[in-house]
Each structure stands twice: as C-alpha cells, then as structure tokens.
C-alpha cells in the first residue's frame, strides 16, 4: 500500500510541478531550425534566437531575432519580431499560441561587411502567428518545438530611382527550445 501511495504522490507531484500553470515565471530560449519561403527562394542556413518570458498569468512576451542566408546569393535576410503569447491550460503539455509583428531587412553579406542593402531593397514589415508545444523533461524544464507562419509586406526591389517589384517573403519557420520554470 505504501508503494502505491508513493507512486501516486510522485506522479502527481511531477505532473503538477512540471506544468507552467503552477510556475510563477518562465524563460524560454530557442533557435530556428529551418525557414521555408512560399516562393522558390532556397536558403543556405538560418541562425539566431527565439526568446520568450512568461508571466504568472499565462501571458508572455517574446523576441525573435535571426538571419537567413539565401542560397547562391550574397543576401541575408535579417528578421526582428516582437511577440505576445498565451499558454493554454492543457495538462501535461505546454501549448502556446502567439502573434507577433516586426520587420525584414536584406543585408549584403560581402558588400561592406554586412551593411544593409538599402540601395537595392526597402525594409519590409511582417506579421506572424505561431504555436509551440512543450513537453516537461524534469520538473523545472521543458523542451518545445515551435512553428511560425510569417506574412511579409512591402519588401520592394528598387530599380534606379523608382521602386520596383515586391519580393514574396511569406515563409514558415520551425524551431526548438528549452524553457526554465521558476
């Protein structure tokens, strides 16, 4: 009987303490794994950080900052995004839904040591929605996967003194991270 009570207590303690519903504060750090554009644009690599801070009432703020190197090009796409998110009250897993806004900017990686390509491209505004699902690995940590859907607006290609065509930079980003719950 003592063994059954101990197993029930240990299981309940692990489940309750590892969900963020009982956390006072949570910090999440992640990295983007892949970015896929809706156009035929191919990427070489993506690197940067995905940061989130959750407050005790299931709301949180986040910052995404990463660079995407375009394959067979001197261009890199810098993305900066500010997010707000909410953790749904789901037992055992940590399910987050969020939205964000920010901007894209092309950087010429071999022209002027990463200077903006403002002579050729306009800075564009972007919005995103995203979701993240986390699985507790020990009582104060979880590992999570995220999916972001980005809608890009008005990144224009300049042609001489006038503005030219708009680039199609709508994309999806997948990432992985770890969260620490206080």
């Amino acid at each position: 009987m003592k063994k059954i009570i101990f197993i029930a207590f240990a299981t309940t303690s692990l489940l309750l303490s590892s969900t963020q519903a009982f956390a006072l504060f949570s910090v999440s750090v992640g990295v983007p794994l892949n970015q896929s554009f809706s156009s035929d644009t191919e990427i070489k690599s993506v690197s940067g950080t995905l940061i989130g801070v959750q407050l005790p009432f299931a709301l949180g703020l986040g910052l995404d900052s990463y660079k995407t190197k375009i394959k067979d090009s001197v261009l890199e796409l810098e993305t900066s995004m500010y997010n707000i998110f909410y953790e749904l009250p789901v037992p055992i897993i940590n399910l987050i839904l969020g939205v964000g806004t920010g901007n894209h900017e092309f950087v010429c990686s071999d022209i002027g040591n990463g200077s903006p390509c403002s002579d050729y491209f306009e800075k564009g505004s972007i919005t995103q929605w995203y979701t993240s699902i986390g699985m507790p690995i020990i009582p104060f940590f979880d590992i999570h996967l995220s999916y972001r859907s980005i809608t890009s607006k008005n990144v224009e290609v300049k042609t001489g003194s006038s503005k030219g065509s708009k680039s199609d930079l709508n994309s999806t980003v997948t990432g992985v991270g770890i969260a620490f719950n206080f």
Side-chain angles (χ1 to χ4, degrees):
M1 183 66 169
K2 288 181 183 181
K3 187 175 181 179
I4 293 173
I5 292 172
F6 175 75
I7 291 172
F9 176 75
T11 304
T12 305
S13 297
L14 180 64
L15 290 176
L16 291 179
S17 67
S18 63
T19 61
Q20 290 190 15
F22 294 95
L24 295 177
F25 191 70
S26 176
V27 176
S28 169
V29 178
V31 294
L33 296 175
N34 188 23
Q35 184 167 14
S36 176
F37 291 97
S38 60
S39 64
D40 293 335
T41 305
E42 292 186 41
I43 69 161
K44 184 192 293 186
S45 65
V46 60
S47 62
T49 57
L50 311 169
I51 299 172
V53 176
Q54 184 176 332
L55 305 172
F57 40 88
L59 282 178
L61 302 173
L63 173 67
D64 299 354
S65 178
Y66 50 91
K67 285 185 179 181
T68 305
K69 293 183 181 180
I70 309 298
K71 189 174 184 179
D72 300 326
S73 175
V74 298
L75 297 177
E76 292 181 353
L77 184 63
E78 285 187 352
T79 303
S80 297
M81 184 88 63
Y82 297 99
N83 304 307
I84 186 166
F85 61 87
Y86 177 74
E87 182 177 352
L88 298 172
V90 178
I92 302 174
I93 62 170
N94 301 323
L95 184 60
I96 291 176
L97 297 176
V99 293
T101 185
N103 62 57
H104 275 318
E105 182 175 20
F106 278 111
V107 173
C108 299
S109 59
D110 70 347
I111 302 172
N113 295 327
S115 63
C117 299
S118 57
D119 293 342
Y120 307 104
F121 298 97
E122 293 280 330
K123 184 184 279 191
S125 61
I126 54 177
T127 57
Q128 78 173 359
W129 66 267
Y130 72 96
T131 186
S132 173
I133 185 165
M135 190 67 170
I137 50 177
I138 58 175
F140 295 109
F141 290 95
D142 85 2
I143 188 164
H144 53 270
L145 298 171
S146 64
Y147 175 85
R148 290 160 162 72
S149 178
I150 299 171
T151 303
S152 176
K153 299 175 185 158
N154 67 10
V155 176
E156 295 189 26
V157 179
K158 292 182 183 179
T159 55
S161 61
S162 64
K163 294 181 181 178
S165 63
K166 292 187 178 189
S167 297
D168 181 10
L169 297 174
N170 295 337
S171 63
T172 59
V173 176
T174 54
V176 65
I178 190 164
F180 179 70
N181 306 315
F182 296 83

